[in-house]
Amino acid sequence: FLFIAHLGSQSLYEPLKIQKCYQDGTRSHTGMPGPNYWKNTCNYDIKVMLKPDRGNIRGSELISYSNNSPDTLKELVITILSDLYKKGNLNDFSIPQSLLNDGVKISKFRVNGNDSYLNSSKITREGTNMIVTLDELILPGTTSLVEIDWEFDYPGNLTIRNGNYGDSTFFIGYFYPKMAVYDDVDGWDKSNYTGYTEFYGEHSDYDVKISVPGDFKVWASGELQNVDEVLSEKYAIKWKEAQKSDKVYKLITADNYLDQDITQNNEWNTWHFKSTNIPDFAFGTSDKFLWDLINVVVDQGSGRKTTLNAAYRLDSKDYYKMAELGKKVLEDYSTRLPGIPYPYPEMTIFNGNSGMEFPMMCNNVSCEEWHETAGLAYHEMGHSYFPFFIGTNERKYAWMDEGWASLFPYFYSDTHSPQYDYLANRMGRYYNEAGSEREVPLMTQSDLLHIRGPYRQASYNKSFFAYFYLYTYLGEETFSKALQGYMNAWAEKHPVPFDFFYSFNTIAEMDLNWFWKNWFFDKNHSDLAISEMKNGELIVENRGKLILPVFIEVNYKDGSSYVLKKDISVWKDQQEKITIPIKDYKKVSSIVLGNDEILDVDKSNNTCLLYTSDAADDLLC
């Protein structure tokens, strides 16, 4: 890129750790990865057994961990996310003590064959992290083998993002001890999972074998490797037919879901899945789910397809259309916005009781209204791009993925539910916290926000509008070009906010720092107001200091009207007032500021009305 804009009229505050990344050459002020950028990688070989009657899962894993950094590692950090349910640990959901347990039990832990760590002072459990002080240092450019055996009991009726649904149905996420991310910004990620903030993971390869009772079926973050060993001959043939179908193929239906000949007639069946370059792994299982499949072309150039699975309950009426909906989501996202072909070979929408994303999977509740079903599918499937394909750190900056997953459905909501006003809904959510003392700038680290309102405002609501107004300002062509350039540059890497800001500056060939500073760094809210009308000049004041478009409707006494529009750049010099001439101002009957697309927490100051005669001063603002 020839154009670099990072130190324009308003430079952005860069924390010391970010400055060091530029000095080390791992990142660059173009927003692109630097010449010395690196990331560590893992390979997981996992075997688990789920006992549904007890809610118990037991597993063993072999992790091949490659240290691609220039650093010598003196310790390992393992994230044990199910320790959210451990007594004494901090959680954002105020889980009743009666539902908590002793967390994940580790019965074996080895590093490169050394088994002296377990039950020693070398291992410290802190929150959802296990920190291991190493006997032998891990040198740059080397690979180490970590072996772990573990066990966990899922509490009944406690289903935060995943869990035991109490009806022979489980969605199992966050279930295995996992290598924390070691990156160029923070070194080891030692932030704790407390419930609100979610993902940060290394892109890894997974080889996972899942043993369940014989009549259970399994859907997972990967491609099934052994269909002939888990499905009966009859249904294995059907499954293979379904892999070629571009129409909805109903493999398990309301008529046959209780048949005893669907799976292999064994006490236990082991389902084998493989996947590459994903930052986490999850699976869902049930002995009574229906199963639809359809194949979707996601890359028009190569013809590459993704298999879309809908796995759902008999009484979930909206899910009978889920396969067709999922197909449309994959097509929209692959060809329009974001316009990057869906990156994975599988996608499963699993009918749990949540709204939660995992690589190649969604754990979605059934909804009464179709706009809720469609919106949830678009949102959770949008996470396939952020934070999975683009490995953002949701622990620190949840808006880097939740904002996008909230924006993308906006462009498609009218297709599925034209009567539902998606934008008005987002505005209502924003107004709940806008201008309050506890509303924080977007650049506040997400893991510091343990109150739902401020966390949701920063992660979902205000970030949605930041992206939305950026889109309306840049226009679809430039916005899409910048977004795709940023995504392609950081695919399967770990961008931070400055990489996003500077890559947009570079690709759009604009100095947008005035926008980034105002929307992401400053504390502000939405309130434009008409302060006065004087000698034919309208004074519009930005009382909330948030940069917004200006829309003015001027109405005349003869019934005519016209509209004045100013894009967000009218505030780029950070002034608090602008002056707008009004033509034929003595004939004006009223002036109205704002429209249905522009946030405004106080609309009582948005109107001027004629109240006596033809004099200009008779406009009361």
Side-chain angles (χ1 to χ4, degrees):
F1 296 95
L2 299 178
F3 183 87
I4 301 175
H6 75 280
L7 296 174
S9 58
Q10 298 182 50
S11 61
L12 303 181
Y13 170 75
E14 296 171 354
L16 293 174
K17 287 183 179 180
I18 302 299
Q19 294 181 32
K20 187 175 186 304
C21 290
Y22 297 130
Q23 294 165 7
D24 292 344
T26 57
R27 297 167 194 267
S28 74
H29 280 109
T30 65
M32 302 297 110
N36 298 327
Y37 181 80
W38 54 265
K39 65 167 188 169
N40 290 350
T41 55
C42 307
N43 292 332
Y44 289 89
D45 190 332
I46 302 174
K47 298 178 178 64
V48 297
M49 173 177 282
L50 175 68
K51 297 179 179 178
D53 57 335
R54 294 174 47 199
N56 172 267
I57 188 168
R58 183 189 298 264
S60 64
E61 60 189 288
L62 175 64
I63 308 171
S64 176
Y65 182 71
S66 297
N67 178 20
N68 303 316
S69 80
D71 305 329
T72 296
L73 304 182
K74 301 176 182 179
E75 62 183 9
L76 294 179
V77 180
I78 315 292
T79 60
I80 304 178
L81 299 176
S82 289
D83 273 355
L84 176 70
Y85 303 123
K86 186 177 182 179
K87 295 175 183 177
N89 278 352
L90 176 67
N91 68 75
D92 297 322
F93 295 104
S94 300
I95 302 170
Q97 287 292 314
S98 60
L99 296 180
L100 299 178
N101 56 32
D102 294 328
V104 176
K105 300 173 184 176
I106 306 291
S107 57
K108 182 174 81 172
F109 186 86
R110 293 176 181 166
V111 179
N112 294 326
N114 182 346
D115 60 2
S116 68
Y117 294 97
L118 198 62
N119 301 320
S120 77
S121 61
K122 302 170 191 174
I123 289 183
T124 305
R125 300 278 287 269
E126 297 179 355
T128 54
N129 289 324
M130 184 170 78
I131 301 171
V132 183
T133 302
L134 294 169
D135 288 338
E136 297 181 12
L137 305 183
I138 298 178
L139 300 177
T142 63
T143 297
S144 296
L145 298 179
V146 180
E147 300 171 75
I148 311 175
D149 288 357
W150 49 269
E151 183 178 359
F152 180 69
D153 293 326
Y154 278 91
N157 301 314
L158 184 56
T159 52
I160 298 173
R161 308 193 189 282
N162 71 125
N164 178 358
Y165 299 129
D167 57 353
S168 299
T169 298
F170 291 76
F171 191 93
I172 306 297
Y174 297 162
F175 66 97
Y176 60 100
K178 176 184 173 185
M179 296 300 302
V181 174
Y182 186 88
D183 66 22
D184 61 319
V185 179
D186 295 310
W188 285 113
D189 171 28
K190 293 184 179 180
S191 60
N192 278 303
Y193 170 56
T194 57
Y196 284 162
T197 58
E198 300 167 51
F199 291 98
Y200 193 35
E202 299 286 17
H203 290 91
S204 307
D205 294 347
Y206 288 85
D207 188 318
V208 183
K209 295 177 180 176
I210 304 162
S211 296
V212 292
D215 52 349
F216 277 65
K217 298 86 184 172
V218 180
W219 300 265
S221 301
E223 295 180 278
L224 181 61
Q225 303 294 302
N226 65 334
V227 64
D228 293 316
E229 296 176 15
V230 292
L231 295 183
S232 67
E233 181 179 1
K234 172 183 175 182
Y235 278 86
I237 292 172
K238 288 177 175 288
W239 182 89
K240 292 172 185 176
E241 290 174 350
Q243 304 306 303
K244 303 174 184 177
S245 177
D246 59 358
K247 307 292 183 184
V248 174
Y249 191 107
K250 294 189 172 294
L251 182 65
I252 300 178
T253 70
D255 296 327
N256 66 13
Y257 77 106
L258 294 177
D259 288 356
Q260 299 299 305
D261 66 342
I262 298 176
T263 57
Q264 288 285 343
N265 186 24
N266 299 317
E267 182 180 3
W268 294 85
N269 285 320
T270 298
W271 296 63
H272 183 194
F273 294 89
K274 287 185 178 182
S275 49
T276 59
N277 277 330
I278 59 173
D280 209 339
F281 189 97
F283 68 94
T285 183
S286 177
D287 63 352
K288 57 176 66 71
F289 265 30
L290 282 55
W291 188 358
D292 298 343
L293 303 91
I294 190 170
N295 292 282
V296 187
V297 175
V298 294
D299 190 333
Q300 299 295 324
S302 67
R304 180 171 61 82
K305 295 182 179 181
T306 291
T307 301
L308 188 286
N309 304 274
Y312 56 101
R313 294 177 171 86
L314 178 70
D315 59 356
S316 292
K317 301 305 180 185
D318 52 338
Y319 268 72
Y320 288 82
K321 300 187 292 182
M322 184 56 75
E324 281 289 353
L325 173 63
K327 176 178 184 287
K328 189 68 169 63
V329 177
L330 291 180
E331 290 174 340
D332 283 342
Y333 282 171
S334 298
T335 60
R336 295 174 59 189
L337 197 73
I340 300 286
Y342 175 78
Y344 305 117
E346 295 278 336
M347 181 69 212
T348 297
I349 306 175
F350 185 90
N351 184 200
N353 74 343
S354 185
M356 184 60 197
E357 74 282 0
F358 289 88
M360 298 190 229
M361 299 199 78
C362 300
N363 180 26
N364 286 5
V365 69
S366 185
C367 304
E368 291 293 328
E369 301 290 335
W370 183 248
H371 72 81
E372 296 175 325
T373 298
L376 192 60
Y378 271 90
H379 179 95
E380 304 304 347
M381 291 171 71
H383 280 300
S384 298
Y385 296 99
F386 300 94
F388 301 144
F389 185 53
I390 315 300
T392 55
N393 184 350
E394 193 173 0
R395 304 285 183 83
K396 292 175 71 173
Y397 304 109
W399 56 264
M400 291 189 75
D401 74 286
E402 295 293 358
W404 292 117
S406 299
L407 176 73
F408 294 156
Y410 164 76
F411 298 98
Y412 311 107
S413 60
D414 285 351
T415 301
H416 302 279
S417 302
Q419 76 284 358
Y420 176 68
D421 193 333
Y422 186 89
L423 192 63
N425 178 272
R426 303 309 310 189
M427 285 184 167
R429 298 183 187 193
Y430 166 81
Y431 290 143
N432 287 335
E433 294 287 336
S436 69
E437 289 180 286
R438 64 183 194 173
E439 184 184 24
V440 300
L442 293 184
M443 287 296 285
T444 305
Q445 282 194 195
S446 301
D447 58 1
L448 301 179
L449 303 176
H450 295 288
I451 300 175
R452 179 178 173 83
Y455 172 74
R456 300 283 298 192
Q457 181 77 338
S459 303
Y460 296 77
N461 305 332
K462 191 175 181 181
S463 59
F464 165 87
F465 284 103
Y467 296 143
F468 174 74
Y469 290 125
L470 183 63
Y471 171 84
T472 60
Y473 174 62
L474 295 179
E476 183 173 356
E477 182 178 354
T478 300
F479 182 86
S480 296
K481 178 183 176 182
L483 175 59
Q484 290 163 15
Y486 161 59
M487 292 176 69
N488 286 325
W490 288 97
E492 298 171 355
K493 299 180 180 68
H494 299 306
V496 296
F498 298 92
D499 302 314
F500 162 58
F501 301 149
Y502 297 151
S503 65
F504 261 66
N505 285 0
T506 298
I507 299 168
E509 298 189 16
M510 296 181 184
D511 174 11
L512 295 168
N513 285 355
W514 53 272
F515 179 83
W516 307 130
K517 181 179 183 302
N518 180 269
W519 270 91
F520 292 86
F521 290 80
D522 294 347
K523 185 174 174 65
N524 49 37
H525 65 274
S526 60
D527 184 15
L528 299 182
I530 297 176
S531 62
E532 62 178 324
M533 174 77 169
K534 188 174 182 180
N535 297 324
E537 292 187 327
L538 188 73
I539 309 300
V540 177
E541 185 177 350
N542 191 341
R543 293 181 179 174
K545 296 182 170 48
L546 184 63
I547 287 176
L548 296 161
V550 177
F551 181 99
I552 298 171
E553 182 180 84
V554 182
N555 300 302
Y556 292 93
K557 287 177 281 188
D558 64 2
S560 63
S561 64
Y562 80 104
V563 168
L564 288 165
K565 297 179 182 179
K566 303 288 183 180
D567 65 41
I568 57 175
S569 66
V570 73
W571 307 104
K572 69 185 300 183
D573 294 328
Q574 302 292 300
Q575 70 271 32
E576 296 182 8
K577 294 181 180 180
I578 58 172
T579 301
I580 300 175
I582 303 298
K583 65 183 181 182
D584 297 328
Y585 66 94
K586 292 187 177 183
K587 299 178 181 180
V588 170
S589 62
S590 67
I591 299 175
V592 180
L593 172 68
N595 64 16
D596 291 340
E597 290 190 353
I598 300 175
L599 292 168
D600 202 322
V601 299
D602 181 6
K603 296 184 179 180
S604 66
N605 49 32
N606 288 15
T607 306
C608 286
L609 295 174
L610 179 72
Y611 67 100
T612 53
S613 66
D614 290 342
D617 291 338
D618 287 335
L619 278 175
L620 178 65
C621 299

